[in-house]
Coordinates of all heavy atoms in Angstrom, one line a residue:
M1 N 111.0 125.6 91.7 CA 111.1 124.3 92.1 C 112.2 123.5 91.4 O 112.3 123.8 90.1 CB 109.8 123.5 91.8 CG 109.7 122.2 92.3 SD 108.1 121.3 91.6 CE 106.9 121.9 92.9
A2 N 113.1 123.0 92.1 CA 114.3 122.4 91.5 C 114.0 121.6 90.3 O 114.9 121.6 89.3 CB 115.1 121.8 92.7
W3 N 113.1 120.8 90.4 CA 112.9 119.8 89.2 C 112.3 120.6 88.0 O 112.4 119.9 86.9 CB 111.8 118.7 89.6 CG 112.3 117.9 90.8 CD1 111.9 118.1 92.1 CD2 113.3 117.0 90.8 NE1 112.6 117.2 92.9 CE2 113.5 116.5 92.1 CE3 114.2 116.4 89.8 CZ2 114.3 115.5 92.5 CZ3 115.1 115.3 90.2 CH2 115.2 114.9 91.5
L4 N 111.9 121.7 88.1 CA 111.3 122.4 87.0 C 112.0 123.8 86.6 O 111.6 124.4 85.7 CB 109.9 122.7 87.3 CG 108.8 121.7 87.4 CD1 107.5 122.4 87.9 CD2 108.6 121.2 85.9
T5 N 113.0 124.3 87.5 CA 113.6 125.5 87.4 C 112.3 126.6 87.5 O 111.6 126.4 88.5 CB 114.5 125.8 86.2 OG1 113.7 125.8 84.9 CG2 115.6 124.8 86.1
D6 N 112.2 127.5 86.6 CA 111.2 128.5 86.7 C 109.9 128.2 85.9 O 109.1 129.0 85.8 CB 111.7 130.0 86.5 CG 112.3 130.0 85.0 OD1 112.3 128.8 84.3 OD2 112.7 131.0 84.6
Y7 N 109.8 127.0 85.5 CA 108.6 126.6 84.6 C 107.4 126.6 85.6 O 107.5 126.0 86.7 CB 108.9 125.3 83.9 CG 107.9 124.9 82.8 CD1 107.9 125.6 81.7 CD2 106.8 124.1 83.1 CE1 107.0 125.3 80.6 CE2 106.0 123.8 82.1 CZ 106.0 124.5 80.9 OH 105.1 124.1 79.9
P8 N 106.3 127.1 85.2 CA 105.1 127.2 85.9 C 104.5 125.9 86.4 O 104.2 125.0 85.4 CB 104.1 127.9 85.2 CG 104.8 128.7 84.2 CD 106.1 127.8 83.9
R9 N 104.5 125.5 87.6 CA 104.0 124.2 88.0 C 102.6 123.9 87.6 O 102.2 122.8 87.3 CB 104.0 124.2 89.7 CG 103.4 122.9 90.3 CD 104.2 121.7 89.9 NE 103.7 120.5 90.4 CZ 102.8 119.7 89.9 NH1 102.2 120.2 88.7 NH2 102.3 118.6 90.4
E10 N 101.7 125.0 87.5 CA 100.4 124.8 87.1 C 100.2 124.3 85.7 O 99.2 123.8 85.2 CB 99.5 126.0 87.3 CG 99.9 127.2 86.7 CD 101.0 128.0 87.3 OE1 101.6 127.5 88.4 OE2 101.2 129.2 87.0
K11 N 101.4 124.4 84.9 CA 101.3 124.0 83.5 C 101.8 122.6 83.3 O 101.8 122.0 82.2 CB 102.2 124.9 82.6 CG 101.6 126.3 82.4 CD 102.5 127.3 81.7 CE 102.5 127.0 80.2 NZ 103.3 128.0 79.5
V12 N 102.1 121.9 84.4 CA 102.6 120.5 84.4 C 101.4 119.6 84.9 O 101.0 119.7 86.1 CB 103.8 120.3 85.1 CG1 104.4 118.9 84.9 CG2 104.9 121.3 84.8
N13 N 101.0 118.6 84.1 CA 100.0 117.8 84.5 C 100.7 116.5 85.2 O 101.0 115.6 84.6 CB 99.2 117.3 83.4 CG 98.2 116.2 83.7 OD1 97.7 116.2 84.9 ND2 97.7 115.3 82.7
W14 N 100.8 116.8 86.6 CA 101.4 115.7 87.4 C 100.8 115.7 88.8 O 101.3 116.6 89.7 CB 102.9 115.7 87.4 CG 103.5 114.5 88.0 CD1 103.9 114.3 89.3 CD2 103.8 113.3 87.3 NE1 104.3 113.0 89.5 CE2 104.3 112.4 88.3 CE3 103.7 112.8 86.0 CZ2 104.6 111.1 88.0 CZ3 104.1 111.6 85.6 CH2 104.5 110.7 86.7
S15 N 100.0 114.8 89.0 CA 99.5 114.7 90.5 C 98.7 113.3 90.6 O 98.3 112.7 89.5 CB 98.5 115.8 90.8 OG 97.3 115.8 90.0
P16 N 98.6 112.8 91.8 CA 97.9 111.4 92.0 C 96.4 111.5 91.8 O 95.8 112.5 92.0 CB 98.2 111.1 93.4 CG 98.5 112.4 94.2 CD 99.0 113.4 93.1
T17 N 95.9 110.4 91.3 CA 94.4 110.1 91.4 C 94.2 108.8 92.2 O 95.0 107.9 92.0 CB 94.0 109.8 89.9 OG1 94.3 111.0 89.1 CG2 92.4 109.6 89.8
I18 N 93.2 108.9 93.0 CA 92.9 107.7 93.8 C 91.7 107.0 93.4 O 90.6 107.7 93.2 CB 92.7 108.2 95.3 CG1 93.9 109.0 95.8 CG2 92.4 107.0 96.3 CD1 93.5 109.6 97.2
D19 N 91.7 105.7 93.3 CA 90.6 104.8 93.0 C 90.1 104.4 94.4 O 90.7 103.4 95.0 CB 91.0 103.7 92.2 CG 89.8 102.8 91.7 OD1 88.8 103.0 92.4 OD2 89.9 102.0 90.8
L20 N 89.0 105.0 94.9 CA 88.6 104.7 96.2 C 88.0 103.3 96.3 O 87.9 102.7 97.4 CB 87.6 105.7 96.7 CG 88.2 107.1 97.2 CD1 87.1 108.0 97.6 CD2 89.1 106.8 98.4
N21 N 87.7 102.7 95.2 CA 87.2 101.3 95.1 C 88.3 100.4 95.5 O 88.1 99.2 96.0 CB 86.6 100.9 93.8 CG 85.3 101.6 93.5 OD1 84.6 101.7 94.4 ND2 85.2 102.2 92.3
K22 N 89.6 100.7 95.2 CA 90.7 99.8 95.5 C 91.4 100.2 96.8 O 92.1 99.5 97.3 CB 91.8 100.0 94.3 CG 91.4 99.4 93.0 CD 92.7 99.6 92.2 CE 92.4 99.1 90.8 NZ 93.5 99.3 89.9
C23 N 91.1 101.5 97.3 CA 91.8 101.9 98.5 C 91.4 101.1 99.7 O 90.2 100.8 100.0 CB 91.4 103.4 98.8 SG 92.0 104.1 100.4
V24 N 92.4 100.6 100.4 CA 92.2 99.8 101.7 C 92.4 100.5 102.9 O 92.5 100.1 104.0 CB 93.1 98.4 101.6 CG1 92.7 97.6 100.5 CG2 94.5 98.9 101.6
K25 N 92.5 101.9 102.7 CA 92.6 102.8 103.9 C 93.8 102.5 104.8 O 93.7 102.6 106.0 CB 91.3 103.0 104.6 CG 90.2 103.4 103.6 CD 88.9 103.7 104.4 CE 87.8 104.3 103.4 NZ 87.7 103.5 102.2
C26 N 95.0 102.1 104.2 CA 96.2 101.8 105.0 C 96.7 103.1 105.5 O 97.6 103.0 106.5 CB 97.2 101.1 104.2 SG 97.9 101.9 102.8
G27 N 96.5 104.2 104.9 CA 97.1 105.4 105.4 C 98.5 105.9 104.8 O 98.9 106.9 105.2
M28 N 99.1 104.9 104.0 CA 100.4 105.1 103.6 C 100.6 106.5 102.9 O 101.6 107.2 103.0 CB 100.9 104.1 102.7 CG 101.3 102.7 103.4 SD 102.6 102.8 104.6 CE 104.0 103.0 103.5
C29 N 99.6 106.8 102.1 CA 99.7 108.1 101.3 C 99.8 109.4 102.2 O 100.3 110.5 101.7 CB 98.5 108.2 100.3 SG 96.9 108.0 101.2
M30 N 99.3 109.3 103.4 CA 99.4 110.4 104.3 C 100.8 110.6 104.7 O 101.1 111.7 105.5 CB 98.5 110.2 105.6 CG 97.1 110.1 105.1 SD 96.3 111.5 104.2 CE 96.4 112.8 105.4
N31 N 101.8 109.8 104.4 CA 103.2 110.0 104.8 C 103.8 111.0 103.8 O 104.8 111.6 104.1 CB 104.0 108.8 104.5 CG 104.1 108.0 105.9 OD1 104.2 108.5 107.1 ND2 104.1 106.6 105.6
C32 N 103.1 111.4 102.8 CA 103.6 112.4 101.9 C 103.9 113.7 102.6 O 103.1 114.3 103.3 CB 102.7 112.7 100.7 SG 103.1 114.1 99.7
G33 N 105.2 114.2 102.5 CA 105.5 115.4 103.2 C 105.0 116.8 102.6 O 105.3 117.8 103.2
K34 N 104.3 116.6 101.4 CA 104.0 117.8 100.8 C 102.5 118.3 101.0 O 102.0 119.0 100.4 CB 104.2 117.6 99.3 CG 105.7 117.4 98.9 CD 106.5 118.7 99.1 CE 107.9 118.5 98.7 NZ 108.7 119.7 99.0
Q35 N 101.8 117.5 101.9 CA 100.4 117.9 102.3 C 99.6 117.7 101.0 O 98.7 118.6 100.8 CB 100.3 119.2 103.0 CG 100.7 119.1 104.3 CD 102.2 119.2 104.6 OE1 102.8 120.0 104.0 NE2 102.8 118.4 105.4
V36 N 99.8 116.8 100.1 CA 98.9 116.6 98.9 C 97.6 116.1 99.3 O 96.6 116.5 98.7 CB 99.7 115.8 97.9 CG1 98.7 115.5 96.6 CG2 101.0 116.4 97.4
Y37 N 97.6 115.2 100.2 CA 96.4 114.5 100.7 C 95.8 115.0 101.9 O 96.7 115.5 102.9 CB 96.7 113.0 100.9 CG 97.3 112.2 99.7 CD1 98.6 112.0 99.5 CD2 96.3 111.8 98.7 CE1 99.1 111.3 98.4 CE2 96.8 111.1 97.6 CZ 98.2 110.9 97.5 OH 98.6 110.2 96.4
T38 N 94.5 114.9 102.1 CA 93.9 115.0 103.5 C 93.1 113.8 103.6 O 92.7 113.2 102.7 CB 93.1 116.2 103.5 OG1 92.1 116.3 102.4 CG2 93.9 117.6 103.5
W39 N 92.8 113.6 104.9 CA 92.1 112.3 105.2 C 90.6 112.6 105.5 O 90.3 113.7 106.2 CB 92.7 111.7 106.5 CG 92.4 110.3 106.7 CD1 91.3 109.9 107.6 CD2 92.7 109.1 106.1 NE1 91.2 108.5 107.5 CE2 92.0 108.1 106.6 CE3 93.6 108.9 105.0 CZ2 92.3 106.7 106.1 CZ3 93.9 107.6 104.6 CH2 93.1 106.5 105.1
T40 N 89.7 111.9 105.0 CA 88.3 112.1 105.2 C 87.6 110.9 105.7 O 88.2 109.8 105.8 CB 87.5 112.6 103.9 OG1 87.5 111.4 103.1 CG2 88.3 113.8 103.3
K41 N 86.3 110.9 106.1 CA 85.6 109.7 106.5 C 85.7 108.6 105.5 O 85.7 107.4 105.7 CB 84.1 110.0 106.7 CG 83.9 110.6 108.1 CD 82.5 110.8 108.4 CE 81.8 111.7 107.4 NZ 80.4 112.1 107.6
E42 N 85.8 109.0 104.1 CA 85.8 108.1 103.1 C 87.1 107.6 102.8 O 87.3 106.7 102.0 CB 85.1 108.6 101.8 CG 83.6 109.0 101.8 CD 83.3 110.1 102.7 OE1 84.0 111.1 102.7 OE2 82.3 110.1 103.5
G43 N 88.2 108.2 103.4 CA 89.5 108.0 103.0 C 90.3 109.1 102.6 O 89.9 110.3 102.7
P44 N 91.4 108.9 101.7 CA 92.3 110.1 101.4 C 91.6 110.7 100.1 O 90.9 110.1 99.4 CB 93.6 109.3 101.0 CG 93.2 108.0 100.6 CD 92.0 107.6 101.4
V45 N 91.8 112.1 100.2 CA 91.5 112.9 98.9 C 92.7 113.7 98.5 O 93.4 114.1 99.4 CB 90.2 113.8 99.2 CG1 89.0 113.0 99.5 CG2 90.5 114.8 100.3
V46 N 92.8 113.9 97.3 CA 93.9 114.8 96.8 C 93.4 116.3 96.9 O 92.6 116.7 96.2 CB 94.2 114.4 95.3 CG1 95.4 115.4 94.8 CG2 94.6 113.0 95.2
E47 N 93.9 116.9 98.0 CA 93.5 118.2 98.3 C 94.4 119.3 97.6 O 93.9 120.3 97.2 CB 93.7 118.3 99.9 CG 93.2 119.7 100.3 CD 91.7 119.8 100.6 OE1 91.1 118.8 100.6 OE2 91.2 121.0 100.8
N48 N 95.7 119.0 97.5 CA 96.5 120.0 96.9 C 97.4 119.3 95.8 O 98.6 119.1 96.0 CB 97.6 120.5 98.0 CG 96.7 121.2 99.1 OD1 96.1 122.1 98.9 ND2 96.9 120.7 100.4
P49 N 96.8 119.2 94.6 CA 97.5 118.4 93.6 C 98.8 119.1 93.1 O 99.7 118.5 92.7 CB 96.5 118.4 92.5 CG 95.4 119.4 92.8 CD 95.4 119.5 94.2
L50 N 98.8 120.5 93.1 CA 100.0 121.2 92.6 C 101.2 121.1 93.6 O 102.3 121.6 93.3 CB 99.6 122.6 92.3 CG 98.7 122.8 91.1 CD1 98.4 124.3 90.9 CD2 99.1 122.1 89.9
S51 N 100.9 120.7 94.8 CA 102.0 120.4 95.8 C 102.8 119.1 95.5 O 103.9 118.9 96.0 CB 101.5 120.4 97.2 OG 101.0 121.7 97.5
C52 N 102.2 118.3 94.7 CA 102.9 117.0 94.3 C 104.2 117.3 93.5 O 104.2 118.1 92.7 CB 102.0 116.2 93.5 SG 102.7 114.6 93.0
V53 N 105.2 116.6 94.0 CA 106.5 116.8 93.3 C 106.5 116.2 91.8 O 106.2 115.0 91.7 CB 107.6 116.3 94.1 CG1 109.0 116.3 93.5 CG2 107.7 116.9 95.5
V54 N 106.8 117.0 90.9 CA 106.7 116.6 89.6 C 107.7 115.4 89.4 O 108.8 115.4 89.7 CB 107.0 117.7 88.6 CG1 107.2 117.1 87.1 CG2 106.0 118.7 88.7
G55 N 107.1 114.2 88.8 CA 108.0 113.1 88.6 C 107.9 112.0 89.8 O 108.3 110.8 89.7
C56 N 107.5 112.5 91.0 CA 107.6 111.6 92.1 C 106.3 110.5 92.1 O 105.3 111.0 91.5 CB 107.4 112.5 93.5 SG 107.4 111.4 94.9
T57 N 106.5 109.4 92.5 CA 105.5 108.4 92.6 C 105.6 107.6 93.8 O 105.0 106.4 93.9 CB 105.5 107.4 91.3 OG1 106.8 106.8 91.3 CG2 105.3 108.0 90.0
T58 N 106.2 108.1 94.8 CA 106.4 107.4 96.0 C 105.2 106.7 96.7 O 105.0 105.6 97.0 CB 107.2 108.2 97.0 OG1 108.4 108.6 96.5 CG2 107.5 107.4 98.4
C59 N 104.1 107.6 96.8 CA 102.8 107.2 97.4 C 102.2 105.9 96.6 O 101.7 105.0 97.2 CB 102.0 108.2 97.6 SG 101.6 109.2 96.1
A60 N 102.2 106.0 95.3 CA 101.8 105.0 94.5 C 102.5 103.7 94.7 O 101.9 102.6 94.7 CB 101.8 105.4 93.0
N61 N 104.0 103.8 94.8 CA 104.7 102.6 95.0 C 104.5 101.9 96.2 O 104.6 100.7 96.3 CB 106.2 103.1 94.9 CG 106.6 103.6 93.5 OD1 106.0 103.3 92.4 ND2 107.7 104.5 93.4
L62 N 104.1 102.6 97.3 CA 103.9 102.0 98.6 C 102.4 101.9 99.0 O 102.2 101.4 100.1 CB 104.6 103.0 99.6 CG 106.1 103.1 99.4 CD1 106.7 104.0 100.5 CD2 106.8 101.7 99.4
C63 N 101.5 102.4 98.1 CA 100.1 102.2 98.4 C 99.7 100.7 98.5 O 100.1 99.9 97.5 CB 99.3 102.9 97.3 SG 97.5 102.5 97.3
Q64 N 99.2 100.2 99.6 CA 98.8 98.9 99.7 C 97.8 98.3 98.8 O 97.6 97.2 98.6 CB 98.4 98.7 101.3 CG 99.2 97.5 101.8 CD 98.8 97.2 103.3 OE1 98.5 98.2 104.1 NE2 98.8 96.0 103.6
G65 N 96.8 99.2 98.4 CA 95.7 98.7 97.5 C 96.1 99.0 96.1 O 95.2 98.7 95.2
E66 N 97.2 99.5 95.8 CA 97.5 99.9 94.4 C 96.4 100.7 93.8 O 95.9 100.6 92.8 CB 97.8 98.6 93.5 CG 98.9 97.8 94.1 CD 99.6 96.9 93.2 OE1 99.5 97.0 91.9 OE2 100.1 95.8 93.5
A67 N 96.0 101.7 94.6 CA 94.9 102.5 94.3 C 95.2 103.9 93.6 O 94.3 104.7 93.2 CB 94.0 102.8 95.5
I68 N 96.5 104.2 93.6 CA 97.0 105.5 93.2 C 97.7 105.4 91.8 O 98.4 104.5 91.6 CB 98.0 106.2 94.2 CG1 97.4 106.2 95.6 CG2 98.6 107.4 93.8 CD1 98.4 106.6 96.7
S69 N 97.3 106.4 91.0 CA 97.9 106.3 89.6 C 98.3 107.8 89.3 O 97.9 108.7 89.9 CB 96.8 105.8 88.7 OG 95.7 106.6 88.6
F70 N 99.0 107.8 88.2 CA 99.7 109.2 87.8 C 99.6 109.2 86.3 O 99.2 108.1 85.6 CB 101.1 109.2 88.1 CG 101.3 109.6 89.6 CD1 101.4 108.6 90.5 CD2 101.4 110.9 90.0 CE1 101.6 108.9 91.8 CE2 101.5 111.2 91.4 CZ 101.6 110.2 92.3
P71 N 99.6 110.5 85.7 CA 99.5 110.6 84.2 C 100.6 109.8 83.6 O 101.7 109.5 84.2 CB 99.7 112.0 84.0 CG 99.2 112.7 85.4 CD 99.7 111.8 86.4
D72 N 100.5 109.7 82.3 CA 101.5 108.9 81.5 C 103.0 109.7 81.6 O 103.1 110.9 81.2 CB 101.1 108.9 80.1 CG 102.0 107.9 79.3 OD1 103.1 107.6 79.8 OD2 101.5 107.5 78.2
K73 N 103.9 108.8 82.1 CA 105.2 109.5 82.2 C 105.8 109.9 80.8 O 106.6 110.8 80.9 CB 106.1 108.3 82.8 CG 107.5 108.6 82.9 CD 108.2 107.3 83.7 CE 108.5 106.2 82.8 NZ 109.2 105.3 83.5
K74 N 105.4 109.2 79.8 CA 105.8 109.7 78.5 C 105.5 111.1 78.1 O 106.2 111.8 77.5 CB 105.3 108.7 77.4 CG 106.1 107.4 77.4 CD 105.4 106.6 76.2 CE 105.8 105.1 76.4 NZ 104.8 104.2 75.8
V75 N 104.3 111.5 78.5 CA 103.7 112.8 78.3 C 104.6 113.8 79.0 O 105.0 114.9 78.6 CB 102.3 112.9 78.6 CG1 101.7 114.4 78.4 CG2 101.4 112.0 77.8
L76 N 105.0 113.4 80.3 CA 105.8 114.4 81.1 C 107.1 114.6 80.4 O 107.7 115.7 80.4 CB 105.9 113.8 82.6 CG 106.8 114.6 83.6 CD1 106.1 115.9 83.8 CD2 107.0 113.7 84.8
R77 N 107.7 113.5 80.0 CA 109.0 113.5 79.3 C 109.1 114.2 78.1 O 110.0 115.0 77.8 CB 109.6 112.0 79.2 CG 109.8 111.3 80.5 CD 110.3 109.8 80.3 NE 111.8 109.9 79.8 CZ 112.8 109.9 80.6 NH1 112.7 109.9 82.0 NH2 114.1 109.8 80.2
A78 N 107.9 114.2 77.4 CA 107.8 114.9 76.2 C 107.8 116.5 76.5 O 108.3 117.2 75.7 CB 106.5 114.5 75.4
L79 N 107.1 116.8 77.5 CA 107.1 118.2 77.9 C 108.5 118.7 78.3 O 108.9 119.8 77.9 CB 106.2 118.4 79.2 CG 106.1 119.8 79.7 CD1 105.2 120.8 78.8 CD2 105.5 119.8 81.1
Y80 N 109.2 117.9 79.1 CA 110.6 118.3 79.4 C 111.4 118.5 78.1 O 112.3 119.4 78.1 CB 111.2 117.1 80.2 CG 111.1 117.5 81.8 CD1 109.8 117.5 82.4 CD2 112.2 117.7 82.5 CE1 109.7 117.8 83.7 CE2 112.1 118.1 83.9 CZ 110.9 118.1 84.4 OH 110.8 118.4 85.8
K81 N 111.2 117.6 77.1 CA 112.0 117.9 75.9 C 111.5 119.1 75.1 O 112.4 119.9 74.7 CB 111.7 116.5 75.0 CG 112.6 116.6 73.8 CD 112.4 115.2 73.1 CE 113.3 115.2 71.8 NZ 113.1 113.9 71.1
K82 N 110.2 119.3 75.1 CA 109.7 120.5 74.2 C 110.1 121.8 74.9 O 110.5 122.7 74.2 CB 108.1 120.3 74.3 CG 107.4 121.3 73.5 CD 105.9 121.1 73.4 CE 105.1 122.2 73.1 NZ 104.7 122.9 74.3
E83 N 110.0 121.8 76.2 CA 110.4 123.1 76.9 C 111.8 123.2 77.4 O 112.2 124.0 78.1 CB 109.4 123.1 78.2 CG 108.0 123.2 77.8 CD 107.5 124.4 77.1 OE1 108.3 125.4 77.1 OE2 106.4 124.4 76.5
H84 N 112.6 122.2 76.8 CA 114.1 122.3 77.2 C 114.4 122.2 78.7 O 115.2 122.9 79.2 CB 114.7 123.5 76.6 CG 114.4 123.5 75.1 ND1 115.0 122.7 74.2 CD2 113.7 124.4 74.4 CE1 114.6 123.1 72.9 NE2 113.7 124.1 73.1
L85 N 113.5 121.6 79.4 CA 113.6 121.6 80.9 C 114.8 120.9 81.4 O 115.4 121.2 82.4 CB 112.3 121.1 81.6 CG 111.0 121.9 81.4 CD1 109.8 121.4 82.1 CD2 111.3 123.2 82.0
W86 N 115.2 119.9 80.8 CA 116.3 119.1 81.2 C 117.5 120.0 81.2 O 118.4 120.1 82.2 CB 116.5 117.8 80.4 CG 115.8 116.6 80.8 CD1 115.6 116.1 82.2 CD2 115.0 115.9 79.9 NE1 114.7 115.1 82.0 CE2 114.3 114.8 80.7 CE3 114.7 115.8 78.6 CZ2 113.5 113.9 80.2 CZ3 113.8 114.8 78.0 CH2 113.2 113.9 78.9
A87 N 117.7 120.7 80.1 CA 119.0 121.6 79.9 C 118.9 122.7 81.1 O 119.9 122.9 81.6 CB 119.0 122.1 78.6
K88 N 117.7 123.2 81.2 CA 117.5 124.3 82.2 C 117.9 123.8 83.6 O 118.5 124.5 84.4 CB 116.2 124.9 82.1 CG 115.9 125.8 81.0 CD 114.5 126.3 80.9 CE 114.2 127.0 79.7 NZ 112.8 127.2 79.5
V89 N 117.3 122.5 84.1 CA 117.7 122.1 85.3 C 119.2 121.7 85.5 O 119.8 122.1 86.5 CB 116.9 120.7 85.6 CG1 117.4 120.1 86.9 CG2 115.3 121.1 85.7
T90 N 119.8 121.2 84.4 CA 121.2 120.9 84.5 C 122.0 122.3 84.7 O 122.9 122.4 85.5 CB 121.7 120.2 83.1 OG1 121.0 119.1 83.0 CG2 123.2 119.9 83.2
K91 N 121.6 123.3 83.9 CA 122.3 124.6 84.1 C 122.2 125.1 85.4 O 123.1 125.6 86.1 CB 121.7 125.6 83.0 CG 122.4 126.9 82.9 CD 121.7 127.7 82.0 CE 122.3 129.1 82.0 NZ 121.5 130.1 81.2
Q92 N 121.1 124.9 86.1 CA 120.7 125.5 87.4 C 121.7 124.6 88.5 O 122.2 125.3 89.3 CB 119.3 125.3 87.8 CG 118.9 126.0 89.1 CD 117.4 125.9 89.4 OE1 117.0 124.8 89.6 NE2 116.8 127.1 89.4
L93 N 121.7 123.3 88.2 CA 122.4 122.5 89.1 C 123.9 122.9 89.1 O 124.6 123.0 90.1 CB 122.1 121.0 88.8 CG 120.8 120.6 89.2 CD1 120.6 119.1 88.5 CD2 120.6 120.4 90.6
K94 N 124.4 123.1 87.9 CA 125.8 123.6 87.7 C 126.0 124.9 88.4 O 126.9 125.0 89.1 CB 126.1 123.6 86.2 CG 126.4 122.4 85.6 CD 126.8 122.5 84.1 CE 127.1 121.2 83.5 NZ 127.1 121.3 82.0
A95 N 125.1 125.9 88.2 CA 125.3 127.2 88.9 C 125.3 126.9 90.4 O 126.0 127.8 91.1 CB 124.1 128.0 88.5
Q96 N 124.6 126.1 91.0 CA 124.5 125.8 92.4 C 125.7 124.9 92.9 O 125.8 124.6 94.1 CB 123.2 125.1 92.8 CG 121.9 125.9 92.6 CD 120.7 125.2 92.7 OE1 120.7 123.9 92.6 NE2 119.6 125.9 92.8
G97 N 126.5 124.5 91.9 CA 127.7 123.7 92.3 C 127.3 122.3 92.6 O 128.2 121.5 93.2
K98 N 126.2 121.9 92.3 CA 125.8 120.5 92.7 C 126.3 119.4 91.7 O 126.2 118.2 91.9 CB 124.3 120.3 92.7 CG 123.7 121.2 93.9 CD 122.2 121.0 93.9 CE 121.6 121.7 95.3 NZ 120.1 121.6 95.4
L99 N 126.8 119.9 90.6 CA 127.3 118.9 89.6 C 129.0 119.0 89.6 O 129.7 118.6 88.8 CB 126.9 119.1 88.2 CG 125.3 119.1 88.1 CD1 125.0 119.2 86.6 CD2 124.9 117.6 88.6
T100 N 129.5 119.6 90.6 CA 130.9 119.7 90.9 C 131.3 118.5 91.7 O 130.7 118.4 92.8 CB 131.4 121.0 91.5 OG1 130.9 122.1 90.8 CG2 132.9 121.1 91.6
P101 N 132.3 117.6 91.3 CA 132.6 116.5 92.1 C 133.1 116.9 93.4 O 133.8 117.9 93.6 CB 133.8 115.8 91.2 CG 133.5 116.3 89.8 CD 133.0 117.8 89.9
A102 N 132.7 116.2 94.4 CA 133.0 116.6 95.8 C 134.5 116.5 96.1 O 135.1 117.1 97.0 CB 132.2 115.5 96.7
N103 N 135.2 115.7 95.3 CA 136.7 115.5 95.6 C 137.6 116.4 94.9 O 138.7 116.1 94.6 CB 137.0 114.0 95.4 CG 136.8 113.5 93.9 OD1 136.2 114.3 93.1 ND2 137.2 112.2 93.5
Q104 N 137.0 117.5 94.3 CA 137.8 118.5 93.5 C 138.3 119.6 94.4 O 137.3 120.1 95.2 CB 137.1 118.8 92.2 CG 137.5 117.8 91.2 CD 137.1 118.4 89.8 OE1 136.5 119.5 89.6 NE2 137.4 117.7 88.7
Ligands
SF4_201 S1 98.0 104.5 100.3 FE1 96.5 103.7 98.9 S2 95.4 102.1 100.0 FE2 96.5 103.3 101.5 S3 95.0 104.8 102.2 FE3 96.3 105.7 100.5 S4 95.2 105.4 98.6 FE4 94.3 104.1 100.2
SF4_202 S1 103.9 111.5 94.3 FE1 105.3 112.1 96.0 S2 104.9 114.3 96.3 FE2 103.3 113.4 95.0 S3 101.6 112.9 96.5 FE3 102.9 111.0 96.1 S4 104.5 111.0 97.8 FE4 103.5 113.1 97.7

C-alpha cells in the first residue's frame, strides 16, 4: 500500500467506528470505494476495516450525522515516526519518479 510501503496493514489501528445512535442513514459512507462498509437493515456496518485507507477520513467528513469517528491521529503519526514510515514512503515515491518535477 502506497501510504505504508511494505508495513503490514493489520498492525495499523486505522478504521472507522459508527455511532448508530447518531447515524441518520443518509448513505454517504457507502460512497467509499474500498468496500469498507456494507448496508444492513439497521444501517451501515464496518465490514472490512483493514480495507480503509490509512489516514483517510473522507466518510467522516461527509457523514451527515457526524456519526463516524477514527482513532487518534497523534497515535498514527507516532507510529509513522517510530517505524520510519515517512522516510520509507518518500524513498518509494522517489524510486517511482513521483517526486521528480514534471517540468524537468
Ligand atoms: S454517512 Fe453517517 S449518517 Fe450517513 S449512513 Fe453513513 S454513518 Fe450514517
Ligand atoms: S476513511 Fe476513506 S477509505 Fe476509510 S472507510 Fe472512510 S472513505 Fe473509505
